[in-house]
Amino acid sequence: MRGNPLEVKILTRRFGLPNSASIDVYLANEGYQALKKALAIKPDDVINEVKKSALRGRGGAGFNAGMKWGFVPKQANKPKYVVCNADESEPGTCKDRVLMEYDPHQLLEGIVIAGYAIQSHQGYIYIRGEYRYLMEIVDHAIAEAYARGYLGKNILGSGFDFDLCTHSGAGAYECGEETALLNSLEGLRGYPRVKPPFPAVIGLYGCPTIINNVETLSNVPHIVLQGGDWYAKLGTPNNGGTRLFCLSGHIERPGIYELPMGFPLGRMIEEVGGGVWRGKRLKCVIPGGSSCPVLTAEEIDVPMDFDSLTKIGSMLGSGGVVVLDEDTCMVKAAWRIMKFYAHESCG
Amino acid sequence: MLSDALKHKFDTVIARYPLKRSAIVPLLLFAQDEIGHVSDEAVEEIARRVGVRPIEVVEDIGYYSMLHRKPVGRYHFQVCTNISCMLRGGEEIFAHCAKKLGIGHKQTTPDGLFSLEEVECLGACCGAPAMQVNYDYYENLTPEKIDELIEKLRRKDQGSRIKD
Amino acid sequence: MVDLIKLTIDGKPVAVPPGTLLIDAAKQMGIEVPSFCYYPGLSLQGACRMCLVAIEKMPKLQTACTTVVGNGMVVHTETPEVANARKAMLEFLLTNHPLDCPVCDKGGECELQDAVFRYGAAETRFLETKQHEEEKKFSSLVYYDRPRCILCYRCIRVCDEGMDVNAYGIGFRGAHSEIIPNRGEHLECEECGACIDICPVGALTSGTYRYKTRPWEVTYTGTVCNHCGDGCKTTLSVRNNVVIRANNRDHSGVNGEFLCVKGRFGWDFVNSEQRLTSPLIRKNGKQEEASWEEALAHTAERLQAVLAQHGPGAVAVIGSNRTTNEENYLLQRFARSVLGTNNLDHHRTADFSSLVRALTEAGAADRHATIEEIGAASSILVIGNDPTHQHPLIAYQVRQAVRQHGARLYVVNAGEIKLRRQASQYLQVSPRGEAEAVRALAGQVTASQDLCTGEAEALPTFAQALTKESDTVVIFGDEIQGQGVGDLVRWGLTLSGRTRFVALGDYANSRGAADMGLFPDTLPGYQPLSSEAARQQFESAWGSNLPTTSGRNLRSILEGIRAGEIKALLVFGANPVRTFKLEKAAFAGLQFLFVAELFRTETAEFADIVVPATSFAEKSGTMTNTCGQVQALKRTMRKAGTRSDLEILLALARLFGQKWPYQSSEDVLREIIALVPGYGIPLPGLLVGHAVATRPEGAPPPLERPDLVFSSRDSLFTSGTLSRYSWALNSVDEAKKPYGHAF
């Protein structure tokens, strides 16, 4: 992992530590403190804190996470589910991979807190099939958490039970869409469902379900521990926190960088990524994965947050910033992206 | 014949879900990991265990791109040529593999050792160009690195044959 | 009463119940929103995006098939934006769709073709080579042409949800997706062909129809299927006096769009080269072709000789389960008033007489359920029989009742019949234990130790559950007959609400044969022969006396032949040699055997005279289904050399010096309506194709002996002797599976 002084390390703060994926390292660095704190307050207060933080979905759609949780019916005789979307497949995006590789417990803690917030007792982490080595890491972390009482029955003596396991996909971009993911998790082909109803009401196995991205859930322990207001202030209004940006393509220093929401795209390319490679000029940027309309070199002053990009007709998406230099054939680039969507039966 | 270890794994995985059929895709992957592809026997066995008709399992296999009905090479090269990799030479890496191995997309060498597939984004964009050999990631690839890897895998295979 | 939702569609206000889909609301107003994947009665797919409509205050076009109506909604179904979107969808659908309409079976009745015509999507911007694939033979009756498929999933859903067969799946993905059958490259299913009918394009085609004609070159006639007793309406497509297809084209009648393999494909016996087209007379021990005049004159002479020598007691008549009511009515008139005998019967496959008798006794003569009532029932009790095989439409109605509105199904059976899948309670009994089970359910007897093969508490639980139901429809097979029917009816009527009954008879007009009095002791309309009033009614109408003593039943007729007491036998559309597994020696005592048949059956082979009869496709008349609903048969074609039983009987009566006042089957029907109790039905409704329920009421004598009523246990792929002459029914591999196999 390359670093950059401009980064604001919240999610990635433990990444450099030796053996950062182990529970001992995690516990030695504030690990599971947020869970302790959350279990001591009311579930609704957890949801309110997340609402306050202006945490928005990091998978791509950017929906307010706290609001999504709030849609889950409080009274329900059916079980409720928490599903973590780790089906990272948007071309240009590889941030969830490092979050699970270097700090899986941060994710687990976020999931358990989410489970407590909506009073669910079962979670699934849907990991794309290609990430087999990550499944092993996460499975190991889950086993550690069970052994130490952060998962299972009566977590930390609170009376709250929560079970969690991983689930493997097998190669299908479409399953990144939340209702398609639910179908896939039910053993069906990953076709999106007709909405409404939304998963918060009728989701996995017909039960109320929240589905959040790995990065979204990894933020939750920090929000609970340091407060929604603190988190919101890290970013721009209505766009709380930091974001893992994946700089790839024709860039001098490709890599994953944690930057505050609203960080200007131009500075990201120049100061964080070291500029367009080989001293070339910029032709355009795909700001948030291949589904996002491209920005020309003239548009790169834009602050990288959901609302600013929507305003100029693109999307912040999944944080995959793909840089294209002046020599790139745009027809070819478009063709390659179209080929991808045809292969994946999307769009 | 599916191994006892695999059957045991099936039982553990199925137990994770309130609805057995949820286990279909993971079971297919695990079966493929052991057999090298999804055999008819595996389809029947999985269908039986999760209580669905075989055609429902076949529907899933057709949908998920990682599942194969026919054997692939012992080392399955999956080269990404999607946008981030393409911009940094992914297509050239694929062409180099094809030349070096003498096979094309979704083909297998006659000795069954290598197979090649052009795949979509592997989530290794910041290490482009990248590929997976079976489940292992190889990033920041160059033709030279490919040559070395192929050599290494050939030697490894010979070594394991002598041991056998 | 729920409040209706008020909305505006294309400027017109409409009020519909909450939960109605936009596409259905529009349809109610006569506005057709095009759709490929949406299909009434099936689950929503939301795949084709043809039904996009503009809804005010919504940013994007919405799919009318998945959008539920809302109060105050303002919808536009045909704006330029909508038309453009549909045109674009069609352009996409046509990227791989071959433009082989001139040779495609569906050309002329293709929903895709119609949509392209309507939206003018004539140009394409796609220059890519179309993906071609050879067509696949899923079975001898179902072919799949992948490039034509637009992936609407209708076939998959109708097979899953309508048929409960689940034979189809979807393989691969994206542009490579295709419909896959359940057994590798092949289908193993009920072969009902619903998938072919429901396919909006020419992707699924029929093994019997494909590449035979253009749809505008055939004549379409709505008539009634001639196989089982359910009476499905079907439209025969006929060209040059050859039937080439059957489907219920307008989805009318008791069956809507349903047809089973026999209804959709099993009509081809009509075209069989083995059809008899000339009368045969046995000369010097060999049957030789002869003229109709010679055959009929000879028949009259021989009959008159036997009558003169041995009297009417030496003559017997066996009628048919498949000929029309009019023919059966004339047959019994001929037997009674011309031959002067009551030696008259038919192969009884259900005990309709006992049902009418029991309901009449209980003062509940109106408690016959119709096919439609089965589909709408909230509680259904099926005793015996295997409706999936023997009564495919009734099985379909039962499944619909369960699936569409959560009806509870109760099954009493000795076997694990397929309907068990839908059953909320299932009582497995020992073989032929159904009648005892009924008595035990009624509390008349304590169930014997070995009656229930399942759990010990099954019977009381079952009985308990039924007492909580109301308006139950009780459907029973030949397992319940004679006294058993009385037991069942008396107990059934103690259940709450309007309990109604259906007796399951095997063939297209099994019920009609009973209704028309093809019995030795019962006149038409279940009037006992012993009733002087009933006899007099017919005597005065026909101007002749009727024999007053009961004749021989079918078993007794066969015994009489063996004993040499019956000297002459007339058989119309029946094959007793096969049904009763008779040897030639059994007929040795006969002096004269006359058979009217479509084919040279085992019985026809022994005959002195065989006359070629017309099939259901070549005649008019009415048939009564097993629920007692009368439907009109319409002549769709002619078969040179054949005559209907009606014509044959009129000719024979003339040769016996009788002047019968009938010119057509309609004349006979008018007499039936006037004279047969329960048949006072309105003629106009019948003639426009409705199924009209009858209400028989009477006191027929009790069943004489238990071996008179038995079902042939036909499977989905058999239909008595007829199925032997159907290429289609014998061509499918599934026909070789053992009887009762559940697909």
Side-chain angles (χ1 to χ4, degrees):
Chain A
M1 287 288 301
R2 252 189 270 247
N4 187 288
L6 289 168
E7 284 189 82
V8 176
K9 295 200 172 194
I10 310 290
L11 293 173
T12 57
R13 54 189 288 252
R14 284 176 286 259
F15 277 22
L17 301 174
N19 216 2
S20 65
S22 84
I23 196 163
D24 291 319
V25 174
Y26 189 63
L27 287 169
N29 291 277
E30 291 179 356
Y32 290 110
Q33 294 300 315
L35 177 59
K36 228 171 262 177
K37 189 174 165 188
L39 292 174
I41 59 176
K42 284 201 222 90
D44 270 353
D45 294 339
V46 177
I47 295 179
N48 287 335
E49 208 60 37
V50 175
K51 278 185 186 161
K52 228 192 287 174
S53 75
L55 170 64
R56 291 171 67 169
R58 302 297 197 238
F63 196 80
N64 185 298
M67 272 171 67
K68 204 173 190 178
W69 296 6
F71 293 147
V72 175
K74 299 274 178 273
Q75 309 297 330
N77 4 348
K78 288 182 184 173
K80 299 172 192 173
Y81 294 101
V82 178
V83 177
C84 170
N85 185 345
D87 190 49
E88 180 168 69
S89 327
E90 178 74 16
T93 317
C94 48
K95 63 189 174 67
D96 296 339
R97 194 178 145 195
V98 291
L99 284 168
M100 288 186 279
E101 183 169 351
Y102 297 114
D103 205 345
H105 284 285
Q106 173 175 261
L107 171 63
L108 303 195
E109 187 174 4
I111 293 173
V112 183
I113 295 171
Y116 175 73
I118 64 156
Q119 289 294 293
S120 154
H121 302 290
Q122 175 71 53
Y124 293 99
I125 306 175
Y126 184 105
I127 303 180
R128 68 178 296 192
E130 292 86 345
Y131 285 174
R132 170 58 65 84
Y133 81 104
L134 289 179
M135 204 164 97
E136 284 157 16
I137 293 172
V138 176
D139 277 340
H140 180 73
I142 289 174
E144 285 181 323
Y146 268 105
R148 305 286 180 96
Y150 299 108
L151 278 173
K153 295 259 172 263
N154 191 19
I155 295 171
L156 300 175
S158 64
F160 175 66
D161 306 334
F162 193 79
D163 288 301
L164 181 63
C165 57
T166 55
H167 176 95
S168 177
Y173 167 77
E174 203 177 7
C175 294
E177 194 279 334
E178 58 183 19
T179 58
L181 185 146
L182 292 178
N183 276 341
S184 178
L185 188 46
E186 290 183 15
L188 303 164
R189 292 163 66 94
Y191 293 158
R193 296 177 180 174
V194 172
K195 286 181 281 192
F198 289 93
V201 184
I202 296 178
L204 187 61
Y205 309 125
C207 302
T209 302
I210 56 166
I211 308 172
N212 290 117
N213 170 262
V214 172
E215 187 185 345
T216 314
L217 288 164
S218 295
N219 272 302
V220 169
H222 303 282
I223 293 166
V224 170
L225 210 54
Q226 313 207 45
D229 290 331
W230 163 82
Y231 187 85
K233 274 183 209 135
L234 292 171
T236 51
N238 218 12
N239 286 267
T242 59
R243 176 107 219 232
L244 298 196
F245 290 101
C246 318
L247 293 188
S248 72
H250 296 148
I251 186 111
E252 200 57 48
R253 289 197 297 269
I256 298 156
Y257 302 95
E258 184 170 8
L259 297 165
M261 277 287 200
F263 196 91
L265 179 57
R267 283 185 61 206
M268 196 183 293
I269 294 168
E270 285 304 319
E271 298 171 32
V272 180
V276 181
W277 74 346
R278 298 171 183 171
K280 296 201 183 191
R281 283 192 305 177
L282 179 69
K283 181 171 243 168
C284 62
V285 186
I286 300 170
S290 62
S291 302
C292 306
V294 294
L295 303 178
T296 60
E298 290 76 46
E299 294 173 298
I300 59 166
D301 291 335
V302 65
M304 291 289 273
D305 63 42
F306 288 105
D307 301 326
S308 303
L309 277 152
T310 307
K311 210 179 289 170
I312 62 167
S314 187
M315 298 188 287
L316 185 62
S318 58
V321 180
V322 186
V323 176
L324 288 76
D325 73 17
E326 58 188 324
D327 296 337
T328 313
C329 171
M330 287 312 291
V331 176
K332 174 145 192 229
W335 169 82
R336 184 61 189 85
I337 292 172
M338 286 314 295
K339 190 176 152 203
F340 165 72
Y341 288 109
H343 180 261
E344 302 296 340
S345 182
C346 265
Chain B
M1 276 294 286
L2 309 180
S3 73
D4 289 341
L6 185 62
K7 286 179 179 166
H8 176 73
K9 181 140 199 185
F10 280 6
D11 292 335
T12 342
V13 174
I14 291 171
R16 291 176 178 173
Y17 308 96
L19 190 69
K20 283 183 180 178
R21 69 167 299 145
S22 279
I24 295 176
V25 172
L27 296 192
L28 284 167
L29 260 191
F30 296 139
Q32 175 170 291
D33 292 347
E34 181 172 297
I35 309 165
H37 66 287
V38 183
S39 61
D40 289 346
E41 188 202 357
V43 170
E44 296 284 336
E45 176 73 11
I46 290 170
R48 193 183 61 77
R49 280 178 182 256
V50 305
V52 299
R53 291 162 304 114
I55 191 175
E56 295 176 70
V57 176
V58 175
E59 285 185 292
D60 277 349
I61 297 171
Y63 178 82
Y64 295 96
S65 63
M66 288 173 69
L67 299 170
H68 311 290
R69 285 293 261 148
K70 295 203 178 92
V72 291
R74 181 157 176 184
Y75 302 109
H76 187 47
F77 280 48
Q78 300 148 80
V79 182
C80 173
T81 59
N82 205 315
I83 185 75
S84 295
C85 285
M86 184 196 89
L87 294 173
R88 295 180 84 96
E91 290 176 327
E92 290 73 16
I93 293 294
F94 179 81
H96 185 79
C97 289
K99 200 176 134 206
K100 195 81 188 169
L101 297 170
I103 50 175
H105 175 56
K106 290 199 174 175
Q107 288 180 350
T108 307
T109 54
D111 59 2
L113 199 54
F114 297 101
S115 52
L116 180 62
E117 187 176 353
E118 183 182 0
V119 297
E120 298 300 346
C121 184
L122 290 167
C125 317
C126 300
M131 72 169 178
Q132 262 189 312
V133 176
N134 303 342
Y135 287 115
D136 298 331
Y137 275 86
Y138 294 87
E139 304 187 11
N140 300 305
L141 292 171
T142 59
E144 295 72 36
K145 282 189 187 173
I146 296 288
D147 292 349
E148 275 170 39
L149 179 65
I150 291 174
E151 265 320 296
K152 200 181 98 191
L153 293 174
R154 280 219 169 96
R155 277 199 305 275
K156 193 172 155 196
D157 179 66
Q158 276 164 2
S160 71
R161 276 192 200 167
I162 291 161
K163 257 188 271 164
D164 288 347
Chain C
M1 186 66 200
V2 279
D3 287 340
L4 295 179
I5 302 287
K6 295 191 179 79
L7 67 159
T8 310
I9 303 178
D10 291 350
K12 285 175 228 148
V14 63
V16 292
T20 306
L21 296 169
L22 260 186
I23 196 166
D24 291 329
K27 198 176 187 177
Q28 283 178 28
M29 305 166 66
I31 297 167
E32 191 203 347
V33 177
S35 70
F36 296 124
C37 68
Y38 173 77
Y39 201 84
L42 297 181
S43 61
L44 300 179
Q45 189 72 31
C48 76
R49 308 200 79 73
M50 267 308 282
C51 66
L52 288 171
V53 292
I55 303 173
E56 288 184 11
K57 292 180 188 148
M58 291 218 188
K60 286 190 280 190
L61 298 180
Q62 303 290 318
T63 47
C65 76
T66 61
T67 308
V68 173
V69 293
N71 258 324
M73 229 178 214
V74 181
V75 183
H76 305 280
T77 68
E78 286 288 350
T79 65
E81 189 193 9
V82 165
N84 232 347
R86 289 185 189 153
K87 200 170 159 177
M89 290 325 300
L90 291 166
E91 191 180 343
F92 275 124
L93 288 176
L94 291 178
T95 46
N96 264 324
H97 190 92
L99 298 179
D100 61 350
C101 312
V103 294
C104 175
D105 271 352
K106 208 75 177 187
E109 47 186 22
C110 169
E111 293 177 40
L112 180 61
Q113 204 178 40
D114 292 347
V116 173
F117 180 77
R118 181 164 160 190
Y119 292 98
E123 289 149 30
T124 181
R125 285 163 285 181
F126 296 107
L127 304 171
E128 286 77 7
T129 314
K130 297 197 181 214
Q131 294 176 12
H132 179 71
E133 251 185 71
E134 293 300 316
E135 62 186 358
K136 294 175 180 146
K137 184 179 178 181
F138 281 174
S139 79
S140 57
L141 300 179
V142 185
Y143 285 69
Y144 178 59
D145 189 310
R146 160 70 188 96
R148 287 182 192 155
C149 177
I150 58 169
L151 297 169
C152 67
Y153 294 76
R154 281 188 196 174
C155 51
I156 298 182
R157 286 175 289 153
V158 78
C159 193
D160 288 4
E161 301 165 17
M163 296 308 299
D164 188 28
V165 171
N166 302 271
Y168 281 121
I170 186 99
F172 313 105
R173 78 178 182 207
H176 302 280
S177 301
E178 62 177 56
I179 303 300
I180 51 171
N182 55 354
R183 295 283 178 267
E185 305 280 297
H186 301 283
L187 266 181
E188 184 186 294
C189 64
E190 296 184 3
E191 299 283 355
C192 72
C195 51
I196 300 168
D197 227 22
I198 208 167
C199 180
V201 294
L204 288 166
T205 54
S206 143
T208 57
Y209 174 77
R210 60 207 303 273
Y211 302 129
K212 286 232 172 82
T213 186
R214 309 304 291 154
W216 53 86
E217 285 177 341
V218 296
T219 349
Y220 299 99
T221 314
T223 186
V224 182
C225 174
N226 203 230
H227 289 290
C228 86
D230 294 350
C232 287
K233 234 185 127 178
T234 179
T235 306
L236 297 184
S237 308
V238 176
R239 195 182 66 174
N240 298 336
N241 285 320
V242 179
V243 187
I244 45 183
R245 179 168 66 171
N247 53 7
N248 194 16
R249 206 172 156 80
D250 58 3
H251 297 175
S252 65
V254 294
N255 49 315
E257 63 211 349
F258 178 85
L259 280 177
C260 74
V261 59
K262 282 182 266 191
R264 208 180 301 275
F265 302 106
W267 39 263
D268 60 346
F269 68 85
V270 167
N271 304 335
S272 168
E273 286 183 357
Q274 297 180 61
R275 279 287 296 278
L276 295 170
T277 52
S278 165
L280 303 172
I281 298 182
R282 187 174 296 280
K283 287 176 183 162
N284 306 319
K286 235 181 106 204
Q287 290 177 340
E288 288 173 17
E289 293 195 354
S291 72
W292 270 99
E293 289 66 31
E294 193 187 347
L296 291 175
H298 194 64
T299 303
E301 278 167 31
R302 298 285 297 270
L303 282 172
Q304 277 155 352
V306 171
L307 287 168
Q309 201 182 343
H310 304 284
V315 180
V317 177
I318 297 175
S320 176
N321 275 302
R322 296 195 205 258
T323 52
T324 63
N325 287 325
E326 293 72 18
E327 289 167 335
N328 285 335
Y329 181 83
L330 286 197
L331 182 63
Q332 62 87 32
R333 176 171 177 185
F334 184 77
R336 292 188 164 115
S337 74
V338 179
L339 300 177
T341 183
N342 279 317
N343 293 339
L344 167 69
D345 206 344
H346 67 289
H347 168 208
R348 308 180 204 175
T349 58
D351 196 354
F352 296 113
S353 288
S354 293
L355 178 62
V356 172
R357 182 184 157 91
L359 286 175
T360 307
E361 269 175 13
D366 56 343
R367 300 294 187 84
H368 294 274
T370 61
I371 295 279
E372 294 91 330
E373 284 175 319
I374 298 170
S378 59
S379 159
I380 301 169
L381 169 61
V382 177
I383 305 170
N385 202 281
D386 184 352
T388 309
H389 277 278
Q390 296 177 257
H391 293 272
L393 172 63
I394 287 181
Y396 176 80
Q397 291 294 88
V398 169
R399 291 196 301 270
Q400 289 291 308
V402 172
R403 191 176 79 84
Q404 304 281 21
H405 47 264
R408 273 86 46 210
L409 172 65
Y410 300 84
V411 173
V412 179
N413 208 296
E416 301 229 354
I417 61 171
K418 187 179 160 190
L419 276 181
R420 184 181 180 174
R421 296 183 194 167
Q422 277 74 30
S424 54
Q425 298 264 349
Y426 171 70
L427 189 64
Q428 186 159 17
V429 296
S430 54
R432 304 299 289 187
E434 286 89 349
E436 188 192 338
V438 168
R439 287 193 297 277
L441 286 169
Q444 277 184 28
V445 295
T446 322
S448 62
Q449 279 284 304
D450 48 359
L451 174 67
C452 296
T453 48
E455 289 167 40
E457 282 304 293
L459 198 130
T461 317
F462 193 96
Q464 187 64 29
L466 267 169
T467 57
K468 297 204 179 89
E469 299 289 357
S470 63
D471 304 331
T472 301
V473 172
V474 181
I475 302 170
F476 60 96
D478 67 338
E479 293 87 346
I480 308 296
Q481 52 172 271
Q483 277 299 317
V485 178
D487 295 336
L488 175 63
V489 167
R490 280 187 295 279
W491 167 65
L493 290 173
T494 64
L495 296 174
S496 116
R498 275 177 58 81
T499 307
R500 286 144 299 162
F501 299 85
V502 177
L504 296 174
D506 282 358
Y507 299 118
N509 209 24
S510 287
R511 173 67 180 257
D515 288 358
M516 292 305 121
L518 292 192
F519 291 119
D521 51 9
T522 312
L523 293 168
Y526 302 98
Q527 306 305 300
L529 186 71
S530 54
S531 153
E532 199 162 330
R535 267 200 330 271
Q536 273 176 4
Q537 184 199 12
F538 290 107
E539 282 172 345
S540 66
W542 298 340
S544 59
N545 289 332
L546 302 185
T548 54
T549 50
S550 290
R552 291 170 176 267
N553 59 46
L554 220 168
R555 293 275 179 189
S556 166
I557 289 172
L558 296 175
E559 287 157 10
I561 293 171
R562 211 179 274 275
E565 292 157 18
I566 301 286
K567 303 288 185 192
L569 176 67
L570 304 184
V571 180
F572 284 82
N575 189 6
V577 172
R578 180 173 181 267
T579 309
F580 295 90
K581 300 185 180 66
L582 305 177
E583 299 295 323
K584 186 165 188 178
F587 281 0
L590 273 184
Q591 288 177 7
F592 180 63
L593 173 61
F594 167 93
V595 175
E597 252 304 347
L598 305 182
F599 299 100
R600 203 160 163 272
T601 63
E602 290 90 334
T603 309
E605 270 180 38
F606 296 163
D608 299 293
I609 302 234
V610 184
V611 292
T614 56
S615 75
F616 79 109
E618 298 134 11
K619 63 186 171 191
S620 299
T622 64
M623 299 239 179
T624 308
N625 73 7
T626 201
C627 294
Q629 294 167 278
V630 184
Q631 298 182 91
L633 211 60
K634 290 193 183 137
R635 190 172 75 189
T636 60
M637 54 183 274
R638 288 167 201 277
K639 181 84 178 171
T642 64
R643 289 191 193 177
S644 70
D645 293 15
L646 190 111
E647 292 167 301
I648 297 166
L649 287 164
L650 290 180
L652 281 177
R654 248 192 323 272
L655 289 169
F656 272 79
Q658 302 279 325
K659 286 192 182 111
W660 283 3
Y662 317 112
Q663 300 294 323
S664 65
S665 63
E666 222 176 286
D667 292 341
V668 184
L669 178 60
R670 281 180 215 282
E671 184 172 314
I672 291 171
I673 291 173
L675 295 187
V676 178
Y679 268 71
I681 52 178
L683 205 48
L686 191 68
L687 295 180
V688 297
H690 291 169
V692 186
T694 52
R695 211 183 124 172
E697 197 166 351
L703 185 63
E704 276 178 84
R705 47 194 281 184
D707 57 358
L708 283 176
V709 177
F710 62 96
S711 160
S712 298
R713 298 268 182 275
D714 276 302
S715 81
L716 268 169
F717 307 100
T718 65
S719 181
T721 305
L722 272 191
S723 49
R724 196 189 296 164
Y725 304 96
S726 161
W727 169 83
L729 294 177
N730 291 294
S731 71
V732 294
D733 295 336
E734 293 89 338
K736 298 179 189 88
K737 296 263 177 194
Y739 171 74
H741 183 87
F743 294 99

